[in-house]
Amino acid sequence: MNDEIGRRLREAAEAHQPDHDRMLARVHRGMAATPARHRVPKFARSWPKVVLAGSAAAGILAVAGLAVAGVLPVAPARPDGATTLTVPTPGATPSVTPSSPSSGGAAPPPPSGHPERTTTPRPSSTGANPAAPAGNRVSDGPLSAQGSVDPHSTVFWAQSTLTLDIAQPLTALTVEVRIAQNGGVQSTGQWQTGPGDDFTVTVQERDGAVVYRWELKPGRTVPASQSVFAVQYNHVAGARDADPDGYDVRATSGDGTHAVQGRFTRGK
C-alpha cells in the first residue's frame, strides 16, 4: 500500500503545472499588506559582531598571557639581605651568588661612629689666663691687682691693662699707670670699666714716662667689683721692652688705707 501511495504522489507531481501568474499576484498582494521597514545602517548591523569579535580577542589574549606566565620564569624581588638572586635562563640552573664572602652566620652590623677620625681633647680652661700670668698679682686688704701687656699689641702699637679686684666699697681711689719713654711712646687713649664721670683723668709726660692718672671724684664711691684700667700708645717699630712700665694704686675703704704697686707682664 505504501508503494502505491508513493507512486501516485510522483505521478501527481510530474503532472503538476505551476500557474506563474497566480503566484506573482499573491506576491504582490503580500507586499502591499506588509508595512515598510526602515533600513538599518550597515554599521549598526555589524556593531554586535564587532563587540563579539573584540571580546573574543580579549579572551584569547588573556588565556595567552596566562599560558606565557606559566611557562616563563619570573625573577623574585631582591631581598634586603646580602645575597643577589640570578634569574635562570631556559636550560640553566638558578644560582645564588653572595655579594661578599662570609665566614658563616649573620652578617655583622656596620660599625657605629667614624673610627677613621681621631679626636684631640681641647686644653682645659681651668689653667692660668695667658694674658695674666700667675705670680704677677699683688694684694693689700680689699685690693688685688694684676698688670699685663695685651697680647693683641703690634710692633707699632700696644695696650697695657690693669685688672683691679675690689672686695669692699672704696671712698677714695687713685690709679697711676707709667709707660716708660723708651722708644717714641705717644699716648693714643685710655679707658676704664667704671663710669667715666666718676673720675678725673689726666695724661702727661713726667720723669721719663707717660703717666696716666685716674682719681675718684669727691663724694663718689667705687663698689666691690672687678675694675679694668687700660692705656694705649704708639711706639717705634719693633718689640718694645715693657719691663720699666708699672702701676701704683692707692685706695681708702671702711677699714683704712691700702696700696698696691706692680709691673706689666707681656701677654702670650
Side-chain angles (χ1 to χ4, degrees), residues 65-87:
L66 293 176
V68 172
V71 174
L72 295 180
V74 180
R78 183 170 181 175
D80 293 333
T83 60
T84 301
L85 298 181
T86 303
V87 178

Side-chain angles (χ1 to χ4, degrees), residues 115-254:
E116 70 278 6
R117 298 182 182 177
T118 57
T119 303
T120 302
R122 295 183 179 180
S124 173
S125 60
T126 58
N129 185 351
N136 190 42
R137 182 173 292 278
V138 292
S139 301
D140 181 19
L143 300 180
S144 179
Q146 188 172 34
S148 65
V149 178
D150 193 280
H152 298 97
S153 300
T154 69
V155 294
F156 300 101
W157 173 91
Q159 173 178 295
S160 296
T161 305
L162 172 64
T163 301
L164 184 62
D165 291 315
I166 303 171
Q168 299 177 8
L170 304 178
T171 56
L173 175 64
T174 300
V175 177
E176 277 191 1
V177 174
R178 299 182 306 276
I179 303 300
Q181 185 56 273
N182 58 358
V185 175
Q186 184 178 7
S187 174
T188 59
Q190 73 286 324
W191 58 270
Q192 76 283 334
T193 56
D197 292 342
D198 287 355
F199 294 91
T200 299
V201 184
T202 59
V203 181
Q204 59 182 343
E205 256 193 78
R206 187 178 69 229
D207 300 332
V210 178
V211 180
Y212 300 80
R213 179 184 176 92
W214 288 266
E215 186 171 1
L216 185 65
K217 294 178 179 180
R220 307 296 176 89
T221 302
V222 179
S225 60
Q226 183 180 80
S227 297
V228 175
F229 299 85
V231 300
Q232 299 173 338
Y233 48 90
N234 290 332
H235 58 78
V236 295
R240 178 181 173 276
D241 182 13
D243 289 342
D245 302 342
Y247 60 85
D248 185 355
V249 179
R250 300 180 181 278
T252 301
S253 65

Side-chain angles (χ1 to χ4, degrees), residues 80-118:
D80 293 333
T83 60
T84 301
L85 298 181
T86 303
V87 178
T89 57
T93 303
S95 61
V96 178
T97 304
S99 60
S100 60
S102 174
S103 58
S112 59
H114 302 277
E116 70 278 6
R117 298 182 182 177
T118 57

Side-chain angles (χ1 to χ4, degrees), residues 22-35:
R22 293 182 63 186
M23 292 176 61
L24 186 59
R26 291 180 64 182
V27 171
H28 283 295
R29 287 196 302 270
M31 292 180 63
T34 304

